[in-house]
Amino acid sequence: MSIRPIKRLIKSKPTLEGAGVHLRRAFGFGNTHDFDPFLLLDDFRNDIPEDYLAGFPWHPHRGIETITYVLAGSVEHGDSMGNKGAIAAGDVQWMTAGRGIIHQEMPKGDPTGRMHGFQLWANLPSALKMTAPRYQEVKTGDIPEVTDDDGTHVRIVCGNFWGKSGPVDGIAADPIYLDVSVPPGERKTLPVETTRHAFAYVFAGSGKFCNASAPLAVPTEGVGWADVKPPTEADNRSLVVFDRGDEVAVQAGEDGIRFLLVSGKPLEEPVAWYGPIVMNTQEDLQQAFKELEQGTFLKK
């Protein structure tokens, strides 16, 4: 077994989206190679209602899948097909935009004003770019959870892990999407197939993700393994990008650590991307925006 070394540690960066929603972007709108088949990860945890209530009014998507995982508060949604609903704490919505959908997502805080969650974008392969749109909406009680002997707790949103399967299926990228909690001071190894790209996003506590040769901390960008100054721990809002291997190792800090662990099989296809539309060629991208202008974007 080989523990995955760390490529780099990135802090998510503040950004504005939608009608003025304050969030933090872990990755997206840059070089997608290291994350293929994933395109973007947004952390929309926020405790100030005026910073998120404007939401994400009507906008189009084509060529991708969006995965919304809510921790606190709720997100109300509606779309061009007449679908309406809401996802609340612990729920997941997996939307396959396929050939095209126009929708809105409006966050609502909990009674204390918290609106916490994440949105991940997964690319669709060229053969499925124009597939029919669909939703998979999963309530918190339907997400399997498993606790190991050392107290490590995992919610399995999608994929197979420790003998259990997540409720979301039929996803082109064949992703594994886990919500992992490791108790204080515990060291844990978690299997990840060698053929997958993988990353972790820390959102509570802190810890050290270990290198293949020794239990060293994650190096921050610009810091080498041989530097005298010890590398820092991965803490809240840290994105850990892994290199190849078949296990991820983590040493939890004194408050434990909780993180998303996501992996997927790379599509290795060209990406032509502008805003909410992701195609394989500039011609297809231009065609999508032409259809938006002409009112022919939505397909029957």
Side-chain angles (χ1 to χ4, degrees):
M1 306 296 279
S2 61
I3 293 175
R4 284 179 176 246
I6 309 304
K7 276 191 174 181
R8 58 189 186 276
L9 173 71
I10 305 166
K11 277 287 194 178
S12 56
K13 297 175 175 60
T15 189
L16 283 175
E17 280 294 349
V21 177
H22 293 250
L23 50 80
R24 286 179 177 263
R25 178 153 294 150
F27 65 87
F29 294 103
N31 182 359
T32 59
H33 179 266
D34 285 348
F35 302 100
D36 182 17
F38 306 107
L39 298 161
L40 174 150
L41 176 64
D42 280 347
D43 175 353
F44 57 80
R45 289 177 294 155
N46 200 310
D47 298 333
I48 305 171
E50 53 266 34
D51 284 351
Y52 62 76
L53 284 176
F56 306 90
W58 297 97
H59 59 280
H61 282 294
R62 176 179 284 179
I64 63 171
E65 301 183 281
T66 63
I67 305 97
T68 307
Y69 180 30
V70 177
L71 299 176
S74 63
V75 178
E76 297 178 355
H77 64 89
D79 68 24
S80 51
M81 300 187 295
N83 295 310
K84 290 183 179 179
I87 51 174
D91 299 347
V92 173
Q93 182 199 77
W94 203 295
M95 184 187 78
T96 303
R99 61 195 179 209
I101 198 167
I102 296 176
H103 77 152
Q104 66 173 354
E105 300 162 293
M106 305 304 288
K108 308 291 181 185
D110 68 10
T112 66
R114 298 181 306 157
M115 182 67 249
H116 291 187
F118 309 96
Q119 187 168 90
L120 176 69
W121 290 13
N123 202 2
L124 281 169
S126 56
L128 295 175
K129 286 288 186 189
M130 299 299 284
T131 193
R134 69 167 181 150
Y135 286 95
Q136 296 185 65
E137 198 161 289
V138 181
K139 297 303 181 184
T140 184
D142 295 325
I143 296 177
E145 303 185 19
V146 59
T147 303
D148 208 3
D149 292 342
D150 62 1
T152 297
H153 182 82
V154 181
R155 300 190 86 216
I156 306 166
V157 173
C158 185
N160 299 309
F161 188 78
W162 282 353
K164 293 198 174 185
S165 297
V168 178
D169 61 8
I171 304 301
D174 188 25
I176 296 176
Y177 188 128
L178 310 173
D179 175 350
V180 181
S181 300
V182 181
E186 292 291 338
R187 185 179 188 275
K188 195 69 182 173
T189 55
L190 305 164
V192 181
E193 291 176 24
T194 305
T195 56
R196 294 172 170 268
H197 283 162
F199 66 85
Y201 186 71
V202 180
F203 61 97
S206 64
K208 297 179 181 180
F209 288 82
C210 304
N211 184 263
S213 59
L216 299 174
V218 181
T220 56
E221 290 183 277
V223 177
W225 290 108
D227 285 3
V228 174
K229 183 180 177 181
T232 59
E233 288 191 328
D235 57 7
N236 187 28
R237 305 188 192 280
S238 293
L239 175 75
V240 184
V241 186
F242 296 105
D243 212 328
R244 292 303 173 101
D246 54 19
E247 287 184 325
V248 165
V250 60
Q251 175 79 46
E254 61 182 18
D255 295 321
I257 188 171
R258 186 177 179 189
F259 56 94
L260 304 179
L261 180 59
V262 180
S263 66
K265 294 179 179 178
L267 301 178
E268 298 180 339
E269 293 184 350
V271 174
W273 182 3
Y274 186 80
I277 297 175
V278 184
M279 305 303 288
N280 295 107
T281 68
Q282 288 297 320
E283 291 77 14
D284 286 342
L285 191 62
Q286 291 165 7
Q287 178 64 29
F289 281 97
K290 183 179 179 180
E291 291 174 7
L292 273 172
E293 291 177 4
Q294 296 175 342
T296 59
F297 181 78
L298 299 175
K299 310 297 182 183
K300 293 184 179 179

